[in-house]
Amino acid sequence: MPLADANLRTRIDGRRARLEDELTGSVIPFWMKHAPDREHGGWFNCLDRDGTVWDTRKHIWLQGRAVWMLSKLHAELEPRAEFQVQAKSGAEFLRDHCRRPDRRVWFCTTREGRPVQLQRKIFSECFHVMAMAQYGRVFGETWAEKEAREVFGWVLEAINDPRLAGRPREEGEPPSKGLAVPMIVLNLIQELDGGFHGPHAAEARACAAEARRFLRRERKVVLETIAADGSDLDSPEGRLLNPGHAIEMGWFLLDYARATGDEAAAKDALDAIEWSLDRGWDQVHGGLYYFLDEKGLSPAQLEWPMKLWWPHCEALVACAKAFEHTRDRAWFERWVRVADWTFARFPDAAHGEWFGYLDRQGAVSQRFKGGPYKGFFHVPRALLLAARALGAVLEPRSFAAPETVKKT
Amino acid sequence: MPLADANLRTRIDGRRARLEDELTGSVIPFWMKHAPDREHGGWFNCLDRDGTVWDTRKHIWLQGRAVWMLSKLHAELEPRAEFQVQAKSGAEFLRDHCRRPDRRVWFCTTREGRPVQLQRKIFSECFHVMAMAQYGRVFGETWAEKEAREVFGWVLEAINDPRLAGRPREEGEPPSKGLAVPMIVLNLIQELDGGFHGPHAAEARACAAEARRFLRRERKVVLETIAADGSDLDSPEGRLLNPGHAIEMGWFLLDYARATGDEAAAKDALDAIEWSLDRGWDQVHGGLYYFLDEKGLSPAQLEWPMKLWWPHCEALVACAKAFEHTRDRAWFERWVRVADWTFARFPDAAHGEWFGYLDRQGAVSQRFKGGPYKGFFHVPRALLLAARALGAVLEPRSFAAPETVKKT
């Protein structure tokens, strides 16, 4: 039901409008102007503060994510010829240059699409699947849907046999599992099946259950890595917290829980978000830490205290979706706290888009807008999804169409 | 000739004594107390601020480096039974658990020596060679010298064929070469041959010439990566500066130049050190940056503005050796600037040893004393070598014995 409190409604609507302005006035124009490679196809992803290309190589995580985002905006923000043209350019670059006959996907190629690097991980393949599934559905390109299912097959095989990705587990390494796997597979199923009730419904249920095994309710934390049997690992990996990642898992799981009516999963999702926001927030300088050690030791990751754009993006989505689901005003106030810190530091009013990497104090540490791991993805996804969730609180049906499609 | 200026002599001698006090009163005791694994052999290298072991795994770069350092201290600081016992424990751990029959060396093992990780790099093998060569010579262990030569054979093969280390060059990757290779091979030859006039003299000459190809005299920089033909690479890798690494190369090359009487190499060595100190020094907060982009772009490395212990260690050695070689007081003043910044921030008076990782402002970012890349190596090596170089300025013969041995 819509909120009755008029002051609160005004505040929420102002915030929602600010998100849409940022998306359509700053973020989309920056990328549409600077990223397209009109000569060789696909998108440049290494863009300096003013949009200048600082590395012409293409990092395929970002190629896939941009194709997904362009297709999503076409379907859910507004249909635009430029979204379709650019999504097609990226999808065909992926198809023609990035996917190998053995269903593996390069991590990095030259501007022209010649291979530079293969990762010993599954994520290039995952973002390829994400891109192809969304692009295929939005634009009716059946070849892309087929491509998505083929590469998804490899992902499922590689999860069960890490040697396929080229990194065998050595004998002294304790069997373990990472939060990323059930998260990303859940997300890919949502993309492939258009929700959680399609052909992969059983796998989706298994992924949601698996993701929930990383929660430690008595300690109010979400672990990043656990033993293969689900117990704690007594090692730096076992103590590692990645608050932004746990928050992202939270809203993936909340989407699943709402679509399937799974109340217990929804409670876990909300707790994962709340714990990770509390634990991850820097009480001195504000913002979310990148990594923490659960027992308060120093993480080995040198960048642990930095404030990265993407955990803040995930928090904007997660708190907005939690507010939409619960209608509990505390979630809106959490959202405001994250948004105020974020909007005061990450957006670049001079050139558009957001900075990605701030130091612990919140000053810009890397001036570029796009790099090997930052592209046209987390910022526009967060602005779109958070705006939709805040809008849904005000007028329950107005933005519900895409969610409804997903849930059927 | 000894310096005549009595005030300067007093300053230098005070600094020299401070280095020796830090080495024998803080650094050696910290490691001798906390690092030895008296049950399984070898050394724990992941030590928290107070010496508590925070990860029982053994990172083999540090096992090798500790064996080298213990042997070096036994030979050049003073013979101590504990140095010999611990060097033996480490060398036998390396022999029994880390070196594989195919001459590869694990990057990480469990406490007991079961394999955890192999790197697709050559450095575990290089530090194994360094350890075995020094240990074998100092303690007359011929098996270790043999081991060093066998694994060195693999290193030379792998440099010529990167596929041996497991990382093929893909077709779109431009052929390139890194500064690390000629540096480390020059250093290993010095260890294996006890100087630059032994069986590998020709290779040493080639390495010195190769290292000098990374200088760009007209721009006063030392590059980290260049094209295979020696030209500049137009890419982020080609623009990358690593001032601490260039300074380390500078003193390796100065050692070579002094031993062989190569004046042109000495000039390059001194210039490499001076340029890198000038370019790498943070004009706002002091200290040496970890990475810079030659053209002033943001390096992609998130940790680029951090102040790490090891570049400061290399600068202490390099400026002291440059002062010893040139007797130019400007080098002592450069040394003092580095030493004042370093000694005010890195040493931990409460528990001994030095912190390794400071943020740009110079505050401790990681509290641990030992980790996957920091062990018993850079700090004691710098304290020993810088004290010897300062001492040599005052009394040219008093500390010359080891250098003389090396040069013959």
Side-chain angles (χ1 to χ4, degrees):
Chain A
M1 85 209 135
L3 283 178
D5 180 329
N7 283 342
L8 182 58
R9 290 181 62 88
T10 304
R11 283 178 66 206
I12 294 168
D13 198 49
R15 295 289 187 159
R16 184 200 53 72
R18 173 80 181 80
L19 295 173
E20 294 198 347
D21 289 348
E22 186 72 10
L23 177 61
T24 57
S26 169
V27 174
I28 293 173
F30 179 88
W31 291 94
M32 296 309 289
K33 181 172 178 188
H34 302 293
D37 179 354
R38 299 185 201 280
E39 192 172 339
H40 294 280
W43 271 28
F44 296 114
N45 57 283
C46 291
L47 302 180
D48 208 353
R49 180 179 179 187
D50 65 359
T52 306
V53 176
W54 60 271
D55 187 349
T56 58
R57 286 174 295 196
K58 288 164 182 165
H59 296 83
I60 305 312
W61 289 23
L62 286 324
Q63 293 293 314
R65 286 164 153 185
V67 169
W68 178 87
M69 193 73 237
L70 289 159
S71 307
K72 183 91 170 168
L73 288 169
H74 190 86
E76 300 191 15
L77 181 70
E78 59 178 10
R80 284 192 201 174
E82 63 176 347
F83 291 152
Q84 182 161 9
V85 167
Q86 292 305 320
K88 182 170 190 286
S89 169
E92 292 178 357
F93 188 89
L94 286 169
R95 177 192 67 194
D96 296 342
H97 303 295
C98 306
R99 187 222 147 141
R100 313 195 315 181
D102 63 358
R103 296 176 295 163
R104 293 228 57 189
V105 175
W106 297 106
F107 172 70
C108 181
T109 72
T110 63
R111 179 180 176 187
E112 302 82 9
R114 289 185 299 130
V116 172
Q117 191 189 336
L118 186 73
Q119 273 193 322
R120 296 187 296 179
K121 297 179 177 174
I122 62 169
F123 301 110
S124 297
E125 290 80 5
C126 288
F127 298 125
H128 187 84
V129 172
M130 192 176 171
M132 291 298 166
Q134 183 77 215
Y135 175 74
R137 190 164 56 250
V138 170
F139 299 108
E141 296 280 8
T142 49
W143 68 264
E145 293 200 42
K146 180 165 167 287
E147 172 89 4
R149 291 191 189 276
E150 280 177 16
V151 177
F152 185 62
W154 181 87
V155 169
L156 293 180
E157 289 169 31
I159 286 167
N160 289 315
D161 183 359
R163 288 172 300 182
L164 285 182
R167 182 145 188 181
R169 196 173 60 73
E170 305 297 346
E171 179 233 316
E173 193 178 356
S176 66
K177 49 192 185 183
L179 178 60
V181 169
M183 272 177 71
I184 201 150
V185 176
L186 188 66
N187 186 247
L188 294 182
I189 289 170
Q190 188 177 17
E191 293 295 328
L192 283 163
D193 288 357
F196 301 107
H197 297 288
H200 295 95
E203 288 102 318
R205 195 158 51 243
C207 285
E210 179 72 1
R212 293 167 65 191
R213 293 199 184 96
F214 290 75
L215 273 70
R216 292 293 180 269
R217 182 159 293 282
E218 66 288 4
R219 284 135 58 195
K220 297 192 173 182
V221 295
V222 181
L223 299 173
E224 188 68 12
T225 309
I226 59 177
D229 67 4
S231 64
D232 285 7
L233 277 174
D234 180 22
S235 69
E237 292 74 27
R239 296 191 298 266
L240 189 69
L241 308 180
N242 181 334
H245 206 215
I247 289 167
E248 186 181 15
M249 181 278 282
W251 73 256
F252 283 14
L253 186 61
L254 186 58
D255 271 4
Y256 170 84
R258 297 183 72 197
T260 59
D262 184 335
E263 295 288 341
K267 175 168 170 44
D268 274 1
L270 294 169
D271 286 341
I273 297 166
E274 187 177 344
W275 300 339
S276 302
L277 264 181
D278 286 351
R279 176 80 72 133
W281 195 258
D282 181 344
Q283 297 300 327
V284 179
H285 299 285
L288 287 163
Y289 289 114
Y290 190 6
F291 293 110
L292 289 170
D293 178 286
E294 189 191 345
K295 296 196 177 163
L297 282 74
S298 293
Q301 290 81 359
L302 299 192
E303 64 274 25
W304 74 269
M306 290 180 72
K307 310 294 165 60
L308 271 62
W309 86 107
W310 70 260
H312 298 82
C313 289
E314 302 308 338
L316 290 176
V317 175
C319 292
K321 283 182 180 274
F323 182 40
E324 180 192 358
H325 179 65
T326 63
R327 306 294 160 116
D328 176 349
R329 188 170 172 157
W331 279 112
F332 181 64
E333 301 306 337
R334 287 191 190 99
W335 188 91
V336 167
R337 184 178 67 157
V338 173
D340 283 350
W341 199 92
T342 299
F343 275 85
R345 287 163 186 82
F346 285 101
D348 178 16
H351 297 280
E353 215 342 79
W354 290 17
F355 296 109
Y357 303 90
L358 312 182
D359 65 16
R360 186 181 168 192
Q361 290 75 22
V364 174
S365 178
Q366 249 95 354
R367 75 181 192 198
F368 54 70
K369 301 292 176 47
Y373 297 95
K374 180 174 186 288
F376 184 62
F377 183 64
H378 288 100
V379 178
R381 180 173 79 165
L383 295 170
L384 179 72
L385 297 184
R388 292 298 154 92
L390 294 185
V393 173
L394 298 176
E395 304 187 51
R397 308 251 39 97
S398 67
F399 292 95
E403 290 281 335
T404 306
V405 168
K406 269 191 224 139
K407 288 174 200 169
T408 53
Chain B
M1 81 206 138
L3 282 178
D5 179 331
N7 283 342
L8 181 58
R9 289 182 64 86
T10 306
R11 282 177 67 206
I12 294 168
D13 198 49
R15 294 290 187 157
R16 184 200 53 72
R18 173 81 180 81
L19 295 173
E20 294 197 349
D21 288 349
E22 185 73 11
L23 177 62
T24 57
S26 170
V27 175
I28 292 173
F30 178 88
W31 291 94
M32 296 310 287
K33 180 172 179 189
H34 302 294
D37 180 354
R38 299 184 201 281
E39 192 173 338
H40 294 279
W43 272 27
F44 296 114
N45 59 282
C46 292
L47 301 181
D48 209 352
R49 181 180 178 185
D50 64 0
T52 306
V53 177
W54 60 270
D55 186 350
T56 58
R57 287 174 296 195
K58 288 164 181 163
H59 296 83
I60 305 312
W61 289 22
L62 287 324
Q63 293 293 313
R65 286 164 153 184
V67 169
W68 178 87
M69 193 72 236
L70 290 159
S71 307
K72 183 91 172 169
L73 289 169
H74 190 85
E76 301 190 14
L77 180 71
E78 60 178 10
R80 285 192 200 173
E82 64 176 347
F83 290 152
Q84 183 161 8
V85 167
Q86 292 306 320
K88 182 169 190 287
S89 169
E92 292 177 359
F93 188 89
L94 286 169
R95 178 192 66 193
D96 297 341
H97 302 296
C98 306
R99 187 221 147 142
R100 313 195 315 182
D102 63 359
R103 298 177 294 163
R104 293 228 58 189
V105 175
W106 297 106
F107 172 71
C108 180
T109 71
T110 63
R111 178 180 176 184
E112 301 81 11
R114 288 184 300 129
V116 172
Q117 191 189 336
L118 186 73
Q119 272 192 324
R120 298 187 295 179
K121 296 178 179 175
I122 63 168
F123 301 111
S124 297
E125 290 79 5
C126 288
F127 299 125
H128 187 83
V129 172
M130 193 176 171
M132 291 298 166
Q134 183 77 214
Y135 175 74
R137 190 163 56 250
V138 169
F139 299 108
E141 296 281 9
T142 50
W143 69 263
E145 292 199 45
K146 180 166 167 288
E147 172 88 5
R149 291 191 189 277
E150 282 177 13
V151 177
F152 186 62
W154 182 87
V155 169
L156 293 180
E157 290 169 31
I159 285 166
N160 289 314
D161 183 0
R163 287 171 302 183
L164 284 180
R167 182 144 186 183
R169 196 175 60 72
E170 304 298 345
E171 180 235 314
E173 194 176 356
S176 67
K177 49 192 186 183
L179 179 60
V181 169
M183 273 177 70
I184 201 150
V185 176
L186 187 67
N187 187 247
L188 294 182
I189 289 171
Q190 186 177 20
E191 294 295 327
L192 283 164
D193 289 357
F196 301 108
H197 298 288
H200 295 96
E203 288 101 320
R205 197 159 50 243
C207 285
E210 179 72 3
R212 293 167 65 191
R213 294 199 182 97
F214 290 75
L215 273 70
R216 292 292 180 269
R217 184 159 291 283
E218 66 288 2
R219 284 135 58 192
K220 298 192 173 182
V221 295
V222 181
L223 299 174
E224 188 68 12
T225 309
I226 58 177
D229 66 4
S231 64
D232 286 7
L233 278 174
D234 181 21
S235 69
E237 292 73 28
R239 295 190 299 264
L240 189 70
L241 307 180
N242 180 335
H245 205 215
I247 289 167
E248 185 181 16
M249 182 278 283
W251 73 258
F252 283 13
L253 186 61
L254 185 60
D255 272 4
Y256 171 84
R258 297 182 71 197
T260 58
D262 184 335
E263 295 288 340
K267 175 168 169 45
D268 274 0
L270 295 170
D271 285 341
I273 297 165
E274 188 176 344
W275 301 339
S276 302
L277 266 180
D278 285 351
R279 177 80 74 132
W281 196 260
D282 181 343
Q283 297 300 327
V284 178
H285 299 285
L288 286 163
Y289 290 113
Y290 190 5
F291 292 110
L292 289 171
D293 178 287
E294 190 192 344
K295 296 196 177 163
L297 282 75
S298 293
Q301 289 81 359
L302 298 192
E303 64 274 27
W304 75 270
M306 290 181 71
K307 309 295 164 62
L308 270 63
W309 86 107
W310 71 261
H312 298 82
C313 290
E314 302 308 340
L316 290 176
V317 175
C319 293
K321 283 181 178 275
F323 182 40
E324 180 192 359
H325 178 65
T326 62
R327 305 295 160 117
D328 177 349
R329 188 169 172 160
W331 279 111
F332 182 64
E333 300 307 337
R334 286 191 190 99
W335 188 91
V336 168
R337 184 179 66 159
V338 173
D340 283 350
W341 198 91
T342 299
F343 275 84
R345 288 165 184 80
F346 285 102
D348 178 16
H351 297 279
E353 213 345 76
W354 290 17
F355 296 109
Y357 303 90
L358 312 182
D359 65 16
R360 186 182 168 191
Q361 291 76 20
V364 174
S365 177
Q366 250 94 354
R367 75 182 192 198
F368 52 71
K369 300 292 175 49
Y373 297 95
K374 180 174 186 289
F376 185 61
F377 182 64
H378 288 100
V379 178
R381 180 173 79 164
L383 295 171
L384 179 72
L385 297 184
R388 292 298 153 94
L390 293 186
V393 173
L394 297 177
E395 305 187 50
R397 309 254 34 103
S398 66
F399 291 96
E403 290 282 334
T404 305
V405 168
K406 268 193 226 142
K407 289 174 196 167
T408 54

